[in-house]
Every structure is written in structure tokens, then in C-alpha cells.
Amino acid sequence: MSGDLTHLDDEGRARMVDVSAKASTTRIAVAAGELQTTREVIALVRADDMPKADVLATARIAGIAGAKRTSELIPLCHQLALSSVKVEFGFTESTITIEARAKTTGQTGVEMEALTAVAVAGLTLHDMVKAVDPAAVLNGVRLLTKSGGKRGNWVRDDETPSATVEYTDTSGRSAAVLVASTGGAAGTREDTTGPALTGWLEGLGFTVRGPLVYADADIDAGLADALRGGPALVITTGGTGASPTDRTPEATAAVLDRELPGLAEAMRRKGTEKIAHASLSRGLAGLVGGTVVVNLPGSPGGVRDGMAVLEPILDHLLAQVAGGGMHDE
């Protein structure tokens, strides 16, 4: 029995699993849930006009605090040194969606921390809206993805993110920044490209998730994370070269519906004007459903070149993908 359920010993008694022999690796988990409520509540929360103010901010802080105290709430969970917890909210016509991403470097996973963050954030939402809708229901608390450890990456295969998650950006200008960096994910190397892209996009009026930092070997899970919720734009940085560990183009090709080869070539041309090595970038650009995905190199110069190419065409590109934009411009 204990071989299938590791929290039971050979006599079927509950135990805390001994993880001392496991390798210490970067571990990331993403969980989600939703609060089913009324259209009136949705409108009030979006307008920040509930009787209890700062609904989302309060629930976000509660979710982060819940993740940090998971080992106190779930008896057999290990205490973890969390390096990051992010809680995001969105809206559909009748739900407030919740998504939590927890990260650590250690010997056991962070699934329970991500799930606890969602549950506590959802219960806090319920507390904040109950004066208007006491019948609100917290639904669907579930694990979406996890990575790291002996079993590698796991992605829930029955999820339809674009149908369930709509991030709080109300203008359609939503983006995610993904960094492929083994050193960055392990905390041994400081990345500057992700923050540079995030700041640039926010300056253009985007609501941005990230930087999401994944090891090169975990870039498939990173892309799944970045694409979750169907943002208008995903920009990756790193993992585009000829090194055996550079896998960003392969991971991107596996999910693209259509390529935008001219865009990728324009960024390579821009780079080779300054340095010949830019021609070695294998970065792709294309569409995953209604999301534009662009691979940039992992160097600060390559990212600056990519931003220079993207900025004058970005609004037109996103308008076309969304079904608008003039084709003769």
C-alpha cells in the first residue's frame, strides 16, 4: 500500500515522507479555482466599489500568506522556503477566477502551497463579497501544472484556459514575459532581460504576468504557464542559440498554429547590424490561437533589438490578430 500512497507506512498509518535523499531542484506549481457569484458582484469588484474595499488586494495578500503557512494547515506537508508566490485574478460574466504560482528550490514539490494559496484567496473573496452575495460558491480548486523533481513536468490535460481565465486587464492589452534561464531558475544568476521586457510592456499599457523564470529543460512547462489565460502577447527571452540546452524554439514550434517568419527575420537582421553572432539566434514568432508569441535572445542587446523591431508594429499586429486592423497600411 505504501508504494502507491507515500503518506502511508507499511502498516497503513499516516506519516510525513522522508525527502532527505531527494535532489534539491527548482520546483514550480500553478493552481487555479473560481468564485461563482452574481453579475452585480463582478461589476462591483471590477469597479472597486464593494462595501469592503480593496477586495482583490486583500485576497491576494491572504493567498500569499496561506501559501507560506501551508505546513501549519496541512498536517503532513513539509515546511518550504518559498522563493516566490504570485496570485492573479480575472473575470468572466459570473466568476472571479483565481490562479496561484508557487516556486521553491528544495527536495519536495510546492503543489500544496499553490493550492492553498488559491483556496485561501477564494475564501477571502467569499468573505469580502458575502454582504452582497451570501450564496457565492468557491469551485474547481485544482492543480494546473507542476515542474521539477524526479518526475519532471506535469500539465493538466483537461484544462481549457481561454474559456476559464480572463485576467483583470480590461483593455485587451495583456502579456506574459517568460525567461529561459537555468541559472536564473536556480537563483544562481541574475536575469535583467525579463524585468526590462516587463517594464517596457507596462510602459506601453500592458498588464504583464512575469517575468516567469524557467530552467531551459523546463521551457515547455514555462510556455504552458505563460499561455495560460490566453494573453494577447507572450515574449520569451533566452534559449534561442545553438547550445544543446537551448530548446525555446523547439518548445515554441510545438505549440504554434501559424508562424510569422518575417518578424523573426526582422529581429535577426536588426541584431546583425551590430553583432554577427545575432545571426545564430533560432528564435521564432507566431500565433497560438489569438496569442502572439515572440522568441528573443537571452542577451540584453538582443532584447533591446527585439523591442525596437516590435514597438512600431505591435499595435497593428495585435489588432490584426484580434480581427481588426487595416491590411493595406
Side-chain angles (χ1 to χ4, degrees):
M1 180 182 296
S2 61
D4 297 322
L5 297 174
T6 57
H7 280 91
L8 299 180
D9 64 17
D10 291 337
E11 297 180 7
R13 295 174 300 192
R15 65 170 184 176
M16 177 181 261
V17 177
D18 184 355
V19 299
S20 58
K22 291 186 177 182
S24 182
T25 64
T26 298
R27 299 169 186 265
I28 298 170
V30 181
E34 62 184 26
L35 187 76
Q36 188 81 30
T37 185
T38 65
R39 293 192 178 195
E40 178 189 7
V41 166
I42 299 297
L44 288 170
V45 172
R46 296 189 80 154
D48 195 18
D49 200 24
M50 288 292 293
K52 294 183 179 180
D54 298 324
V55 171
L56 298 184
T58 303
R60 179 177 290 110
I61 293 169
I64 293 170
K68 293 166 67 175
R69 301 187 67 174
T70 299
S71 64
E72 299 175 33
L73 301 170
I74 311 297
L76 301 180
C77 280
H78 296 81
Q79 291 180 320
L80 297 182
L82 293 170
S83 53
S84 174
V85 180
K86 293 184 178 180
V87 179
E88 303 281 350
F89 301 100
F91 301 95
T92 68
E93 289 186 355
S94 61
T95 65
I96 302 174
T97 62
I98 312 158
E99 185 171 297
R101 179 180 183 270
K103 179 180 178 183
T104 190
T105 299
Q107 296 167 300
T108 190
V110 286
E111 298 96 316
M112 295 310 302
E113 284 71 17
L115 288 162
T116 300
V118 170
V120 174
L123 290 172
T124 303
L125 287 176
H126 196 296
D127 179 51
M128 301 290 279
V129 309
K130 67 185 180 185
V132 179
D133 179 21
V137 178
L138 180 61
N139 287 325
V141 177
R142 63 206 183 277
L143 184 67
L144 300 181
T145 69
K146 66 174 182 175
S147 63
K150 182 178 179 180
R151 296 184 181 181
N153 302 329
W154 178 88
V155 178
R156 192 178 192 90
D157 60 8
D158 61 349
E159 195 69 14
T160 53
S162 60
T164 59
V165 181
E166 175 197 338
Y167 287 100
T168 52
D169 171 51
T170 58
S171 66
R173 295 177 72 80
S174 55
V177 172
L178 172 63
V179 178
S181 171
T182 300
T188 59
R189 175 181 177 274
E190 181 181 2
D191 170 69
T192 61
T193 59
L197 282 165
T198 299
W200 172 66
L201 288 167
E202 288 175 343
L204 295 177
F206 284 83
T207 298
V208 186
R209 290 181 65 222
L212 310 172
V213 183
Y214 279 77
D216 291 286
D218 298 331
I219 193 61
D220 304 84
L223 270 171
D225 187 2
L227 288 165
R228 195 163 303 285
L233 176 67
V234 170
I235 300 182
T236 75
T237 172
T240 64
S243 166
T245 60
D246 290 332
R247 296 188 54 257
T248 301
E250 285 77 12
T252 303
V255 298
L256 287 183
D257 298 317
R258 290 189 290 167
E259 285 197 41
L260 297 169
L263 180 55
E265 290 304 323
M267 290 187 290
R268 271 187 283 273
R269 284 196 303 271
K270 181 71 173 178
T272 54
E273 292 174 3
K274 301 176 182 178
I275 181 171
H277 291 170
S279 62
L280 298 178
S281 173
R282 301 182 299 114
L284 301 177
L287 305 177
V288 180
T291 299
V292 176
V293 179
V294 179
N295 298 155
L296 299 184
S299 66
V303 167
R304 287 193 295 270
D305 292 337
M307 291 189 294
V309 171
L310 282 169
E311 187 157 342
I313 67 169
L314 193 53
D315 287 344
H316 180 68
L317 170 60
L318 295 180
Q320 279 203 344
V321 172
M326 297 298 293
H327 289 274
D328 57 354
E329 291 181 358

